[in-house]
Amino acid sequence: MIVSSRVYRPGCAGEEVGVDDISEVIKEPEAFIWLGLWQPDAEFMAKIKEEFGLHELAVEDALNAHQRPKIEHYGESLFIVVKTVCVKDNNCEMGETHFFVGKNFLISIRHGASESYTPVRKQASENPALLKYGPAYPLYCLLDFIVDRYAELSTSLNERVGQMENELFTSEFDRQSVQQVYTMRRHLLTLRNAALPLEEICNQLIHLHEDLIPRPLRAYIRDVQDHARHVVTDAEDMREMLTSAMQVNLALVTVQQNEVVKKLAGWGAILVIPTVVFSMYGMNFEHMPELKSLYGYPLAVGLTLVACGGLWARLRRSGWL
C-alpha cells in the first residue's frame, strides 16, 4: 500500500521515513512529508489518520474509490479528489487520486486506473528552489501530471475523430461507424467530466487557502487550470464535430435514398404506359387493332414506344433518371 514515504528538508532531496516515525518528523518546522499510497485498507488509513491528525470524514471518503472530483477544507488541511484517465486497448478507463494537503504533509492516494507518480517525485526532487514552499509544490506537480495525461488523451482522440469524420462523409449507412462515434462521444464526455471540476479546484487553490498554497506557486496552479480548460474546450468541440458529422451522414443517406426513390418512380411511370395499352388486349373488344386493321398492331406498339421514350426523355432532363 505504501508506494513512497519521504521527508523533505531544506537542502535535502528527500529521505525515506517510516510510517511509525511520521508523528515525530512532522513536528519539525521546516520539513514536510510526502506519502504516496495505493488503495490502502481501512486499518492502515486509521493509522495514517492518527499520525497526521486527519478528519474522519475525509478518511472515510478516501477509502471509497467512487468520489466525485471536489475540494473540501477540514480544519488545517485540504481534501482533494481528482479523476485520472488511462487508455487500455482503445478503452478509456477512469481512476481517482485523493490528496490530503497540510502545512507540512502531502498524502496522495491512488485508486483504479492511474500511472505511477515516480517521475513526478523525481521532477519535484530536482527543483529545491520550489520545494522550499512545502507540499504545495509537489501538489502542483501531481495536478500538472494528471492534466498532461488529459491533454495526451485529448490529442489521441482528436486524431481518431478526424478519421471518423472521413468515414462518415459518405452516402452509405455504416452501423459500425455510428457505433464507433457513439463510443467516442462517451469517451469525450468522460474526459470532459474529469477535467471540468479540476478548473474549480484550481480556482479555489488560486484564490483561497493562502496558508497552504503560497502566493509564488499560484501562477503554477493557474497554468494547470488553463490546461484543464483547454482540455474541456477541445472535448466539447470534438463532441460537437462528431454530432455534426453524424447529421451530415444521415442527410447524405437520406438524399441518396431520395434519388433511388425518384429513379424507381420514374421507371414506374414509364412502365405504366405499356401496361395500360397492352392490358386492353385482354378485353373483348369487337374492333381490336390487330384484327380489323392491317397496321393497327404496329401502330399501337409504335405509339407505346414513342410515349415511353418521350416520358423517359422528360424525366431524364428533370434529373429523375
Side-chain angles (χ1 to χ4, degrees):
M1 292 179 289
I2 301 177
V3 178
S4 175
S5 178
R6 304 179 70 87
V7 57
Y8 295 84
R9 300 182 176 91
C12 175
E15 298 177 351
E16 293 290 337
V17 58
V19 175
D20 295 332
D21 300 327
I22 288 177
S23 57
E24 295 298 325
V25 175
I26 204 172
K27 296 177 182 178
E28 300 180 23
E30 295 185 352
F32 75 89
I33 293 175
W34 182 359
L35 178 63
L37 303 177
W38 166 256
Q39 298 184 172
D41 57 28
E43 182 180 356
F44 182 79
M45 283 303 297
K47 185 175 183 179
I48 296 299
K49 172 180 175 293
E50 296 300 326
E51 293 289 334
F52 289 94
L54 304 177
H55 197 280
E56 59 181 353
L57 293 178
V59 172
E60 181 181 348
D61 287 345
L63 289 171
N64 185 2
H66 300 284
Q67 297 291 321
R68 62 177 179 83
K70 61 182 178 179
I71 177 171
E72 294 180 349
H73 194 194
Y74 291 100
E76 297 182 352
S77 64
L78 294 176
F79 177 62
I80 302 173
V81 178
V82 296
K83 294 289 187 179
T84 56
V85 296
C86 187
V87 179
K88 294 182 179 179
D89 299 328
N90 292 327
N91 290 322
C92 181
E93 298 184 5
M94 299 298 299
E96 295 179 14
T97 296
H98 302 172
F99 299 103
F100 290 94
V101 188
K103 293 182 179 179
N104 51 3
F105 66 85
L106 171 65
I107 305 174
S108 59
I109 305 174
R110 291 191 293 138
H111 292 277
S114 174
E115 296 184 23
S116 172
Y117 293 150
T118 300
V120 183
R121 284 190 288 272
K122 182 179 179 182
Q123 172 192 348
S125 300
E126 293 174 351
N127 200 336
L130 294 177
L131 270 178
K132 68 179 182 180
Y133 292 110
Y137 177 64
L139 173 64
Y140 151 73
C141 292
L142 288 170
L143 293 178
D144 185 60
F145 180 82
I146 292 171
V147 173
D148 284 345
R149 302 290 84 74
Y150 292 169
E152 290 177 3
L153 176 60
S154 176
T155 301
S156 175
L157 294 179
N158 190 27
E159 295 176 357
R160 292 167 59 185
V161 166
Q163 296 174 356
M164 289 182 177
E165 280 188 309
N166 294 332
E167 294 174 357
L168 287 174
F169 280 106
T170 64
S171 58
E172 301 292 335
F173 179 76
D174 189 346
R175 183 182 298 274
Q176 183 177 0
S177 296
V178 174
Q179 291 176 343
Q180 290 177 351
V181 169
Y182 176 80
T183 302
M184 177 62 68
R185 282 175 53 83
R186 185 176 60 189
H187 290 337
L188 291 171
L189 181 61
T190 300
L191 178 60
R192 175 191 175 278
N193 290 342
L196 185 60
L198 194 55
E199 285 191 68
E200 177 58 27
I201 292 173
C202 291
N203 187 58
Q204 288 198 36
L205 293 176
I206 293 169
H207 296 97
L208 304 174
H209 315 298
E210 191 170 353
D211 56 330
L212 298 176
I213 310 297
R215 190 171 295 276
L217 290 180
R218 298 193 170 193
Y220 293 89
I221 301 296
R222 191 178 300 111
D223 182 66
V224 175
Q225 182 186 38
D226 184 61
H227 291 172
R229 185 179 297 114
H230 278 297
V231 171
V232 172
T233 302
D234 291 343
E236 291 177 344
D237 290 344
M238 284 187 282
R239 292 184 75 238
E240 184 65 26
M241 289 167 58
L242 286 176
T243 301
S244 300
M246 288 182 64
Q247 292 175 346
V248 170
N249 177 257
L250 293 176
L252 292 174
V253 171
T254 301
V255 170
Q256 179 66 19
Q257 290 176 343
N258 289 339
E259 291 296 321
V260 173
V261 171
K262 287 166 60 177
K263 287 181 170 59
L264 292 175
W267 285 110
I270 294 174
L271 293 175
V272 164
I273 297 175
T275 300
V276 172
V277 173
F278 296 127
S279 64
M280 292 188 298
Y281 291 104
M283 305 299 292
N284 296 319
F285 290 117
E286 180 181 357
H287 302 290
M288 297 182 69
E290 64 271 24
L291 298 179
K292 300 297 183 180
S293 174
L294 179 63
Y295 301 102
Y297 183 78
L299 182 60
V301 174
L303 290 175
T304 300
L305 294 176
V306 169
C308 290
L311 182 57
W312 177 87
R314 180 65 180 273
L315 294 175
R316 183 77 172 179
R317 285 194 300 270
S318 63
W320 279 57
L321 296 175

